[in-house]
Amino acid sequence: MYPSDFEYAAPTTVQEALELLRQNPEAKVLAGGHSLLPAMRIRLMSPPLLVDIGKLSELKGVRADGGVAIGALTTYHDLEASSELAQRLPVLVECASNVGDPQVRNRGTIGGSIAHADPAADMPAVVLALGAEMKVVGPNGERTISADDFFVDMLQTALEPGELLTEITVPPMPEQMGAAYEKFKHPASGYAIVGVAVMVHRGADGNVSDCRIAVTGAGPRAQRARAAEDALKSGMDVAEAAARASDGLEYIGDISASEEYRANLVRVLTKRALTRAMEQLR
Amino acid sequence: MAVADQPTRMFGQAIKRREDPRLITGKGNYIDDIKLPGMLHAAVVRSPYAHAKINSIDTTAASQLPGVVAVFTGADIAQEQNPLPCAWAAGGVQNNVNTPRALAVDTVHYIGEGVALVVAESPYIAYDAMELVEVDYEPLDVVVDAEEATREGAPQLHENAPNNIVMHWTCGNQEAATQAIDSAEVVVRQRIRNQRLIATPMETRGYVARYDAATGEYTEWMSSQAPHVHRLLLAAFVLGIPENKLRCIAPDVGGGFGAKIFVYAEMAALLYAAKHTGYPVKWIESRRENCQATAQGRDHITDLEVAGTRDGKITGLRVHTYANLGGYLSTIAPGIPTTLYGRMVSGVYKIPSIFVDVKGVYTNTAMVDAYRGAGRPEATYAIERAVDLFADEIGMDPAEVRRRNFIQPEDFPYDNGLGMLPYDSGNYEPTLDRALELIDYQGFRREQEEGRKNGRLLGIGVTSYVEVCGVAPSKWIGLMGEGWGAGLWESANVKVHLTGKVNVTTGSLPHGQGHETTFAQLVADELGVPYEDVVVEHGDTQGTPFGYGTYGSRSAAVGGTAIYKSVSKIKEKARKLAAHMLEAAEEDIVFENGKAYVRGAPEASKTIQEIALQASVAYDLPQGMEPFLDETTYYDPPNCTFPFGTHICTVEIDPETGKVNVLRYVAVDDVGNVINPLIVDGQIHGGIAQGLAQALYEGVVYDENGQLLTGSLMDYSIPRADMVPHYELDRTVTPSPVNPMGVKGAGEAGTIASGATVSNAVIDALSHLGIRHLDMPYTGEKVWRAIHQQ
Ligand SMILES: Cc1cc2nc3c(=O)[nH]c(=O)nc-3n(C[C@H](O)[C@H](O)[C@H](O)COP(=O)(O)OP(=O)(O)OC[C@H]3O[C@@H](n4cnc5c(N)ncnc54)[C@H](O)[C@@H]3O)c2cc1C
């Protein structure tokens, strides 16, 4: 398990990193390396240059103002340890602590997970459920991509060549908010066979005013379970809404789970996540 | 700590393993730690086809890559080497032996079979060059299922094996079994599959080969469970060189689980590469290669027929098994589904009429050979599923059915009628009683009944097992039809140096079992020296006497006994010398706790250290006595040993996802006398984890083209710490009469019992839904489907 030859650069500024990426269209950004390096070791990827962004300290950490801004280079461990998040968005802590093992969580980054867009990764579901926005900087300057537009297909995102994901921002949340993440782990990889992240808001009238349900693992990319969202917003109860969660999604079947079983897991996990999220509403 | 005059026995003490500080702080010395001057690195080009003709191999481009020293093909090596031997031609295997070569020459028979060896200055370059080796394959039809392979019209793997049959072997009494089944009150029939497993040692295989052109001597460092056997087989059969021109060294070995017993193609290919490049060559197996090309375990399809009476007596058993042995025969493959499976299929039960029919089959898959338990987990799974199916059919509690059919204490030594050696000793019922008590069987049954009313799926599974270990009397295994091509004794040398320090060299080969600790405990006791003064050496064919290696839970019972006997000889000589030193008659000398004295006068004693000094300086020895305390023993056991026990576990199944959660796991084992309870418990823990993982997680999947779909640890699920329950262990002790220490063996017991235990629990949880049987592994989806198809 030896990668092909590659060059390595560790820029100290974002500009320098972008310049390196511009000059080397085949180059790959290296964050925690926990998806990239395994792929290189089996020669699934053979980038000629790795641009290690580990020294870009401005991309690290959690900031809270109205909403919450998370630097792309923030590790799972730092998410788990963040008191800001524990208070304001515990679902991110919950999700982070569900990823891999301590070694993986010490190296792997939220930005790496989102940029990689593994169909079975955990974070894409949560950022999609939270309606987060991805801040991106590239040769043409900065832009923002909503989570809904970000995950395009298997291992494909809206990131253009030469672009760097810098920050994930979660909009301010109302007081009456609940969120939860439920995961059915693949016994070998520990990734999600299916993962479901939900967020519910309650309006002044006591009804569900907003609801976002995002599914990972079931199909080629993180997807919204809109049928269940609509059902819940229209006043159906959790069980009725969850029964619709598998409608209209794309599925993948493989030796670890058929499409039918994944659809079942989507319904079951949606029910469980919604139940927990609703309990958080006061 | 014990000192010479303190008679605390080390035997039975739960002391921590002395090898652990080095192994768990990264100071072990594994194959990849070995670095020799000028050493080159090899990589194996492997077949992407499960069955194909090799039309040609073009190595030009690879050879020209800077840093590449040589590229060898099967045709090159075949000029100098023979195919690997099959050392256990059990079950009538004769003219249809097909074993691998160092590299395939004209046909490949499974995915991952080696076709070329690249040798380069670094492993990176070797991997680059692999991509440049051009092989022209002509794909052939593929068969991966053992039963299908025997059907008319199936693709044929080897000319000398019509219908892909390796052997067709039977044991027991066909007529009696037929009669018992035909005339029985109750007959239950079920097809079961014991799925294929990857052994997955933490350290993959790896070898470093060196050739000394000046002397014509080879040295090979190998991650191996049996370096002496590897030396013998490689030298005498593969290379055709004198055995004393090859030295094999196994340094620290990071697990084997059976898979490192065997001679492998890469061992031979590396010896060739070292000779023909003139440099030492290293090869370290990647995890992917380990999944593809290291011998695997199990893979049986079995038809069970169990007959009995409505009051719970089992009267007959008929078993037909297809054993998938893969594309070639691995070193001891034919012996596993015959001697170690077929002859053990009756388990702990007194069944009057049994017949076992086994077909060994070639298929386009990796070779299958011994894997922890080797045959006995398959046998236990078959009989323990059969007993549960029978209990279910007659509506009797499965624990009660077991109790009614146990072999009784007065039946030992017990002949099971299947050609197995007589079971040495046993008392099965107390293990069942204790396990039932620990788990609160009746309490759980009540909870289960209550739970079912609320839709909870609770299950409890019982397995009582017996296994054969401490293999084996050479005469039986080699001569009397079992087909083993050598002996199975062990040897040991014990030396007490001038300073009183002790060296033990053993032919047995620890790869996680803690021999260095256990054997030192044994010697410290018997010789009466401090435990710290005993060093145990192993693994180098140059420095240790011949041994057959560590597998089959044989190291304590066979290797340990060889040590025990060497120490006894030393004690005998020490007594003679002490008589001389104390000017007393030899028959009046007592040797006890490291001291020799005249009976009744312990105050005037000579310590073993004083005696060793006297024996070494040799100024004053009795007439005719040779200097030094140094004794070697070659010990051939008179019988195997037969550990037994009862395991029970409880599970709860999530009805919505099908996920199985193990609630409690109780194991009551009887492994005879226990030298180190901590080590034995550890062996049981690890063993249970492996069998439980077979029941819940593991399973090799090949598609119909012979592509391996579980080719990495992302797809093939081995158990991690958070995937196994807390274990509740207890023991009964029924010493073995076979060896002086009364030990039986503990390395495989856990695995032998746990697969069937978890399996029975899962099916019990679903039984009220009309489910009689499901094949392992019980993945969420499989269980969910079973629940929802009812
Ligand atoms: C043993 C193991 C278990 C795991 N278990 C899980 C699990 O349970 N759940 C789960 O979700 N994941 C799991 N992972 C994956 C882990 O979460 C990865 O760390 C993560 O998916 C990628 O993050 P990274 O920082 O390591 O990215 P890298 O591997 O460095 O990069 C991944 C990809 O994203 C690109 N990239 C990285 N950062 C940026 C950026 N800021 N801008 C643009 N492109 C970027 C890289 O170029 C590369 O293509 C596991 C990994 C391992 C090794």
Side-chain angles (χ1 to χ4, degrees):
Chain A
M1 301 280 93
Y2 294 90
S4 335
D5 238 5
F6 60 88
E7 298 290 322
Y8 172 88
T12 50
T13 66
V14 170
Q15 276 323 311
E16 209 185 321
L18 292 176
E19 185 52 28
L20 282 163
L21 291 172
R22 196 185 59 78
Q23 288 166 2
N24 303 275
E26 301 288 302
K28 278 277 173 194
V29 171
L30 174 69
H34 270 42
S35 290
L36 184 53
L37 298 188
M40 288 170 62
R41 280 161 51 87
I42 56 171
R43 299 194 172 203
L44 210 62
M45 288 186 185
S46 296
L49 169 69
L50 290 187
V51 179
D52 184 348
I53 57 174
K55 291 188 175 157
L56 308 182
S57 48
E58 65 265 45
L59 303 191
K60 288 180 198 164
V62 179
R63 264 185 310 111
D65 31 56
V68 173
I70 303 163
L73 262 185
T74 312
T75 61
Y76 297 114
H77 172 266
D78 290 341
L79 297 178
E80 284 180 279
S82 159
S83 52
E84 289 288 351
L85 288 182
Q87 221 176 9
R88 305 177 62 153
L89 288 172
V91 66
L92 271 168
V93 177
E94 186 190 350
C95 175
S97 64
N98 250 304
V99 174
D101 49 45
Q103 287 93 329
V104 174
R105 297 198 289 273
N106 283 336
R107 295 285 312 170
T109 65
I110 184 170
S113 174
I114 290 167
H116 190 59
D118 188 296
D122 297 299
M123 273 302 161
V126 177
V127 295
L128 187 54
L130 291 175
E133 296 198 317
M134 315 301 157
K135 266 201 182 158
V136 165
V137 50
N140 305 320
E142 272 193 5
R143 63 184 184 123
T144 299
I145 311 168
S146 80
D148 281 314
D149 299 328
F150 192 81
F151 301 105
V152 175
D153 205 344
M154 187 177 295
L155 306 178
Q156 267 182 43
T157 67
L159 276 176
E160 296 288 339
E163 278 185 332
L164 209 56
L165 173 62
T166 54
E167 199 170 74
I168 296 97
T169 58
V170 181
M173 292 286 162
E175 181 80 354
Q176 289 287 311
M177 182 272 209
Y181 181 62
E182 285 281 335
K183 175 179 185 180
F184 192 88
K185 283 188 187 184
H186 188 296
S189 72
Y191 279 73
I193 287 184
V194 169
V196 176
V198 305
M199 179 189 75
V200 287
H201 294 174
R202 185 152 60 194
D205 61 358
N207 294 325
V208 170
S209 58
D210 195 10
C211 164
R212 291 172 67 99
I213 301 173
V215 175
T216 188
R221 67 198 140 77
Q223 319 170 61
R224 299 263 302 271
R226 290 185 193 270
E229 292 176 0
D230 293 342
L232 199 72
K233 285 188 282 191
S234 76
M236 287 191 201
D237 68 17
V238 164
E240 287 173 305
R244 290 165 172 73
S246 55
D247 294 355
L249 301 185
E250 275 181 66
Y251 291 97
I252 296 178
D254 57 28
I255 56 162
S256 60
S258 66
E259 296 189 12
E260 198 184 349
Y261 182 60
R262 282 191 157 92
N264 172 63
L265 289 178
V266 169
R267 293 187 294 270
V268 171
L269 300 183
T270 301
K271 183 178 72 184
R272 293 178 184 180
L274 277 178
T275 304
R276 281 175 42 220
M278 298 290 273
E279 279 166 7
Q280 294 161 20
L281 302 174
R282 267 166 275 270
Chain B
M1 262 309 68
V3 290
D5 56 355
Q6 191 185 329
T8 315
R9 275 180 58 82
M10 297 299 290
F11 198 112
Q13 301 272 331
I15 58 172
K16 289 186 181 167
R17 304 196 321 171
R18 57 163 58 158
E19 35 286 81
D20 283 345
R22 112 175 160 257
L23 296 180
I24 64 181
T25 57
K27 297 191 178 77
N29 182 37
Y30 297 95
I31 294 295
D32 211 12
D33 295 315
I34 291 166
K35 298 183 173 75
L36 303 179
M39 187 173 75
L40 302 174
H41 299 265
V44 182
V45 180
R46 296 181 183 276
S47 170
Y49 293 100
H51 198 191
K53 279 214 136 5
I54 301 171
N55 287 332
S56 64
I57 302 180
D58 186 348
T59 61
T60 324
S63 306
Q64 285 166 358
L65 190 76
V68 171
V69 177
V71 184
F72 301 113
T73 66
D76 299 331
I77 303 182
Q79 292 176 17
E80 208 172 286
Q81 290 187 1
N82 301 312
L84 309 182
C86 176
W88 196 355
V93 180
Q94 267 158 6
N95 299 324
N96 47 8
V97 170
N98 296 280
T99 54
R101 287 181 166 277
L103 294 168
V105 175
D106 46 27
T107 311
V108 289
H109 291 98
Y110 65 94
I111 291 277
E113 186 174 351
V115 297
L117 187 81
V118 178
V119 185
E121 286 165 8
S122 83
Y124 292 89
I125 298 171
Y127 270 69
D128 287 345
M130 272 208 296
E131 296 178 350
L132 301 175
V133 175
E134 283 172 34
V135 187
D136 178 18
Y137 295 100
E138 184 182 325
L140 301 170
D141 288 343
V142 167
V143 62
V144 298
D145 178 274
E147 187 181 23
E148 278 170 28
T150 62
R151 294 213 181 105
E152 208 57 47
Q156 297 294 297
L157 271 73
H158 303 284
E159 266 172 29
N160 60 3
N163 300 320
N164 299 312
I165 298 282
V166 175
M167 77 273 179
H168 185 180
W169 174 94
T170 63
C171 70
N173 185 333
Q174 182 165 24
E175 212 175 306
T178 306
Q179 215 194 348
I181 287 166
D182 290 350
S183 62
E185 261 175 56
V186 184
V187 180
V188 188
R189 298 188 164 84
Q190 182 66 50
R191 166 162 284 209
I192 62 172
R193 280 170 190 269
N194 199 302
Q195 82 273 26
R196 181 186 283 244
L197 305 175
I198 298 173
T200 328
M202 199 182 293
E203 184 198 19
T204 56
R205 290 185 298 126
Y207 312 115
V208 179
R210 182 175 69 188
Y211 180 69
D212 183 340
T215 60
E217 283 172 15
Y218 293 90
T219 304
E220 188 156 29
W221 287 261
M222 42 174 58
S223 192
S224 162
Q225 295 176 231
H228 286 278
V229 174
H230 291 153
R231 170 165 91 153
L232 170 65
L233 297 180
L234 286 166
F237 293 87
V238 183
L239 272 66
I241 58 168
E243 196 178 343
N244 49 19
K245 292 286 184 192
L246 172 62
R247 174 181 175 189
C248 292
I249 305 171
D252 285 325
V253 178
F257 309 119
K260 292 177 184 169
I261 302 171
F262 321 123
V263 179
Y264 282 97
E266 295 85 354
M267 290 177 177
L270 250 65
L271 291 170
Y272 181 92
K275 178 175 171 187
H276 288 267
T277 59
Y279 293 97
V281 182
K282 177 190 274 186
W283 171 74
I284 300 291
E285 184 184 53
S286 71
R287 186 57 66 186
R288 269 175 188 255
E289 292 177 290
N290 185 260
C291 291
Q292 293 182 343
T294 289
Q296 303 178 348
R298 321 276 188 257
D299 207 346
H300 285 193
I301 303 171
T302 294
D303 288 308
L304 289 173
E305 294 168 282
V306 56
T309 62
R310 293 236 159 249
D311 63 358
K313 270 279 173 202
I314 301 173
T315 54
L317 179 69
R318 197 160 52 191
V319 177
H320 281 86
T321 294
Y322 291 97
N324 192 337
L325 299 179
Y328 300 91
L329 292 186
S330 170
T331 313
I332 62 172
I336 311 306
T338 53
T339 305
L340 294 178
Y341 164 76
R343 298 203 194 287
M344 287 304 289
V345 140
S346 57
V348 286
Y349 310 108
K350 220 167 162 171
I351 305 176
S353 308
I354 319 176
F355 178 64
V356 184
D357 176 300
V358 178
K359 291 193 180 87
V361 185
Y362 289 115
T363 65
N364 296 114
T365 59
M367 290 177 279
V368 175
D369 204 325
Y371 167 61
R372 200 171 192 169
R376 290 97 81 210
E378 297 92 310
T380 303
Y381 183 65
I383 184 66
E384 291 303 290
R385 283 301 303 131
V387 171
D388 263 29
L389 285 159
F390 174 65
D392 185 55
E393 183 67 26
I394 62 171
M396 187 178 283
D397 186 279
E400 182 56 27
V401 174
R402 286 177 169 78
R403 194 186 299 283
R404 290 190 185 188
N405 289 281
F406 277 153
I407 299 159
Q408 295 302 309
E410 61 274 16
D411 296 330
F412 292 90
Y414 178 77
D415 177 355
N416 72 3
L418 295 173
M420 182 39 78
L421 289 169
Y423 295 6
D424 59 341
S425 62
N427 189 5
Y428 301 152
E429 209 164 340
T431 68
L432 176 65
D433 288 336
R434 182 70 183 128
L436 291 172
E437 178 190 331
L438 280 171
I439 202 109
D440 182 17
Y441 189 74
Q442 293 310 333
F444 187 84
R445 284 286 182 208
R446 282 191 296 276
E447 191 184 331
Q448 178 183 42
E449 208 181 302
E450 276 309 301
R452 280 180 177 174
K453 291 179 194 154
N454 307 319
R456 288 178 69 193
L457 301 175
L458 293 165
I460 186 161
V462 180
T463 280
S464 294
Y465 74 95
V466 60
E467 64 126 330
V468 52
C469 65
V471 287
S474 299
K475 183 167 71 172
W476 172 70
I477 196 90
L479 192 65
M480 292 153 69
E482 299 307 308
W484 179 268
L488 262 183
W489 40 264
E490 279 302 326
S491 68
N493 173 270
V494 177
K495 289 183 180 62
V496 188
H497 298 287
L498 180 150
T499 52
K501 308 295 177 196
V502 181
N503 272 93
V504 178
T505 49
T506 169
S508 121
L509 197 286
H511 46 287
Q513 296 85 353
H515 291 25
E516 291 169 27
T517 304
T518 305
F519 287 167
Q521 283 178 267
L522 205 98
V523 170
D525 263 1
E526 290 305 316
L527 211 52
V529 297
Y531 164 76
E532 294 76 11
D533 285 357
V534 184
V535 168
V536 178
E537 295 169 319
H538 49 79
D540 184 343
T541 56
Q542 197 165 75
T544 60
F546 193 97
Y548 281 93
T550 288
Y551 42 84
S553 304
R554 63 194 299 272
S555 289
V558 190
T561 303
I563 293 171
Y564 181 95
K565 291 195 175 261
S566 290
V567 173
S568 299
K569 290 178 189 170
I570 290 204
K571 280 170 25 181
E572 215 24 59
K573 184 167 177 181
R575 260 167 35 88
K576 284 199 176 85
L577 182 48
H580 178 74
M581 291 162 79
L582 293 165
E583 297 178 354
E586 198 189 317
E587 52 281 13
D588 293 336
I589 298 290
V590 181
F591 187 96
E592 206 177 57
N593 300 325
K595 285 181 185 168
Y597 53 87
V598 178
R599 195 181 319 278
E603 54 298 339
S605 65
K606 294 289 173 195
T607 65
I608 181 69
Q609 290 83 358
E610 289 169 309
I611 299 168
L613 173 65
Q614 180 116 347
S616 284
V617 296
Y619 305 149
D620 180 15
L621 297 179
Q623 191 67 36
M625 180 180 276
E626 288 179 14
F628 214 68
L629 299 179
D630 179 338
E631 299 289 347
T632 299
T633 302
Y634 290 82
Y635 170 72
D636 201 337
N639 191 1
C640 295
T641 54
F642 295 81
F644 58 89
T646 298
H647 290 203
I648 304 184
C649 91
T650 54
V651 301
E652 176 155 19
I653 295 171
D654 179 343
E656 291 184 322
T657 64
K659 186 174 191 305
V660 177
N661 293 306
V662 177
L663 302 173
R664 289 182 63 198
Y665 196 104
V666 164
V668 180
D669 296 289
D670 193 321
V671 298
N673 286 329
V674 170
I675 303 171
N676 184 325
L678 193 63
I679 287 180
V680 166
D681 286 356
Q683 288 291 311
I684 301 284
H685 282 183
I688 295 171
Q690 270 172 306
L692 179 139
Q694 172 168 22
L696 298 182
Y697 312 119
E698 297 188 35
V700 174
V701 183
Y702 282 101
D703 72 9
E704 69 278 8
N705 300 317
Q707 286 294 340
L708 179 62
L709 301 184
T710 48
S712 80
L713 297 184
M714 293 294 276
D715 308 297
Y716 185 84
S717 314
I718 55 166
R720 289 187 290 261
D722 63 347
M723 290 159 71
V724 295
H726 173 71
Y727 305 117
E728 300 167 59
L729 305 190
D730 202 356
R731 265 192 273 286
T732 62
V733 176
T734 308
S736 171
V738 172
N739 57 67
M741 297 169 298
V743 298
K744 290 196 169 203
E748 294 159 295
T751 313
I752 288 165
S754 60
T757 307
V758 176
S759 187
N760 283 344
V762 169
I763 293 159
D764 181 61
L766 304 171
S767 59
H768 63 299
L769 305 175
I771 293 165
R772 284 167 35 120
H773 179 75
L774 286 176
D775 287 321
M776 305 180 287
Y778 305 113
T779 60
E781 174 155 13
K782 187 181 286 175
V783 175
W784 175 77
R785 283 188 182 279
I787 295 169
H788 293 275
Q789 271 163 13
Q790 298 306 311

